[in-house]
Structure formats: C-alpha cells, structure tokens
Amino acid sequence: MTHTAEQLQALITSCEQFRGAKAPAGYRDSLALCIVDSVQSTGVTYSSVERVVDRYRAYRRRGRSGDPNSDGVPELLATFEELGGPDGWASQIGNRNRTSTRNGVLKAEAIRDAAQTLAAEGIKTTAALRDAAGDEDRLARVGAAWRAVTGQISGITWHYAQMLAGIQGVKPDRMICRFVADSLRLPRKDVATEFAGVIVTAAATEMGMLPTDLDHAIWQWQRVRK
C-alpha cells in the first residue's frame, strides 16, 4: 500500500505540532540493551520495559564488574548461560511476559534467540549493526533472520532495535499506526505497519526532521490519548 500526496500532506499537517522534537539517545554503545528493550517493548506499558532494563543493569553490575551500557551480544548471551536459560533469565531479570497470548513464548526466549541470530551474522556490537546498515542486502538478510524469531515476524522490534542503536527509522507499532489512521481518517484496522513506517518516514523527510525524532514525538503524544 503506497501513500498519495494528499495523504502525506494530511499527515504532515497533524505532525506540525512535533517540529523540533528530539528522541532520547537510546543505547548507542549497548547492543544488549537494544535487544532487551526492543523485544520487551511490544504490547506492554513502557514502565515494565524500564524495570527489565534496570534489572539487567543491576545484575551485570552486581559482583561482576560488568558495564551494561557497553554490553554486546556475547555479554547478553552469557547472562542466559549463568541463569540457566530463558526461564531463569525471566525470573531474575525479565518477567513472565510472552511474545503473544496465543502460542507465544517467553520474551526472554525471544531475546536470547534474537541475540543468537545477530551473533550468527557476525553482529555483536552496536557499531557492527550500524556498519551493517550501510549494506542494504546484508541488513535485509539479518532482518529476515530476526523476523524468524518467534513473535517477531512483524519486524517492529527489528526496526526498534536499530533505532535504539542509533540507526534512523520508524517503529510502526500500534501507537504509530493509530496516529496515522486517525490523521488520514482511515479505519485503524486498514493501516498496515509497513504503510505507517513508510509514510511517517516520508513526513519526517518533508519536515526536515529525523525519522526517529518524529516517531518518538508521535508515540509520546499517542500514548496519553484514551
């Protein structure tokens, strides 16, 4: 589904209120935290994600002299080995949230599997992920492998992990899709994630904003609406 010029202008009109907005820095030096935050973030309030991130940081610092703010994939996977796998990781660091209420797995399992996927592709740090973003074919291959992880087929968490690592983009989750639908006066069920991601990116470009900044502003505005 492609957008029309009229749809793009309508979205820009709705986004005028967000000019000058800036997104948080993310985790430019910690691919571990990018993975944890992105996978944990779907379908929950963000405060629950923050608690998991805080527990990961505390675990890495407690008696291990680790620096969670610079952890890569090897350090993240090591925590799963230390805690006996996804179940133990969920109990001590994560939570019992699942990737889906139907046939889903623990998000802890998806975090581990996503990390293993990146490791298999030779991507162990945020710097390596940013380098991969410069190779369209390689990034597409890595993205396909990430989407093959249970519960990640939509690609939302893949987009978000990249954004947290400092790669510009849009996370077309339900908040973004709802904003696009309402701005264009479309039924919410008719706005697909791919369409939302493309048109918000186009709006950011037309407005002279970074896509990540516009995405964050929309998300923050949408989350407080009933």
Side-chain angles (χ1 to χ4, degrees), residues 137-192:
D137 290 339
R138 186 185 183 199
L139 194 67
R141 184 177 69 250
V142 177
W146 180 293
R147 289 182 175 91
V149 172
T150 301
Q152 313 311 307
I153 193 170
S154 71
I156 291 172
T157 60
W158 170 234
H159 288 297
Y160 191 35
Q162 293 176 76
M163 292 162 63
L164 291 171
I167 299 166
Q168 287 298 315
V170 171
K171 175 195 176 190
D173 64 3
R174 61 183 178 178
M175 298 291 194
I176 303 301
C177 289
R178 286 173 181 174
F179 182 86
V180 170
D182 295 347
S183 296
L184 304 187
R185 299 184 179 181
L186 294 172
R188 289 179 172 178
K189 64 180 178 60
D190 291 347
V191 174

Side-chain angles (χ1 to χ4, degrees), residues 18-219:
F18 305 132
R19 283 189 182 274
K22 295 293 182 182
Y27 312 108
R28 286 189 59 87
D29 298 318
S30 178
L31 187 52
L33 292 179
C34 294
I35 298 168
V36 170
D37 192 315
S38 63
V39 175
Q40 287 285 162
S41 70
T42 55
V44 298
T45 58
Y46 193 65
S47 59
S48 72
V49 180
E50 292 174 320
R51 288 192 291 271
V52 174
V53 170
D54 287 346
R55 286 194 293 271
Y56 178 85
R57 283 183 164 135
Y59 176 83
R60 286 285 292 131
R61 288 171 174 149
R62 187 170 58 245
R64 293 172 180 81
S65 301
D67 182 4
N69 295 320
S70 63
D71 277 359
V73 167
E75 290 80 12
L76 175 57
L77 290 175
T79 64
F80 282 90
E81 294 179 7
E82 293 163 4
L83 295 172
D87 193 71
W89 198 95
S91 296
Q92 294 198 43
I93 296 176
N95 50 39
R96 308 308 294 182
N97 290 347
R98 305 181 75 82
T99 57
S100 173
T101 55
R102 180 179 296 179
N103 299 322
V105 299
L106 284 173
K107 287 186 176 181
E109 182 175 334
I111 288 169
R112 182 202 61 187
D113 292 351
Q116 290 176 336
T117 290
L118 294 184
E121 295 291 340
I123 297 174
K124 299 180 181 180
T125 66
T126 51
L129 181 57
R130 290 191 291 270
D131 285 345
D135 184 333
E136 187 174 329
D137 290 339
R138 186 185 183 199
L139 194 67
R141 184 177 69 250
V142 177
W146 180 293
R147 289 182 175 91
V149 172
T150 301
Q152 313 311 307
I153 193 170
S154 71
I156 291 172
T157 60
W158 170 234
H159 288 297
Y160 191 35
Q162 293 176 76
M163 292 162 63
L164 291 171
I167 299 166
Q168 287 298 315
V170 171
K171 175 195 176 190
D173 64 3
R174 61 183 178 178
M175 298 291 194
I176 303 301
C177 289
R178 286 173 181 174
F179 182 86
V180 170
D182 295 347
S183 296
L184 304 187
R185 299 184 179 181
L186 294 172
R188 289 179 172 178
K189 64 180 178 60
D190 291 347
V191 174
T193 57
E194 182 178 0
F195 174 81
V198 169
I199 195 170
V200 170
T201 300
T205 300
E206 289 294 321
M207 295 172 69
M209 294 180 67
L210 295 175
T212 299
D213 290 339
L214 183 56
D215 169 277
H216 181 72
I218 292 172
W219 193 90

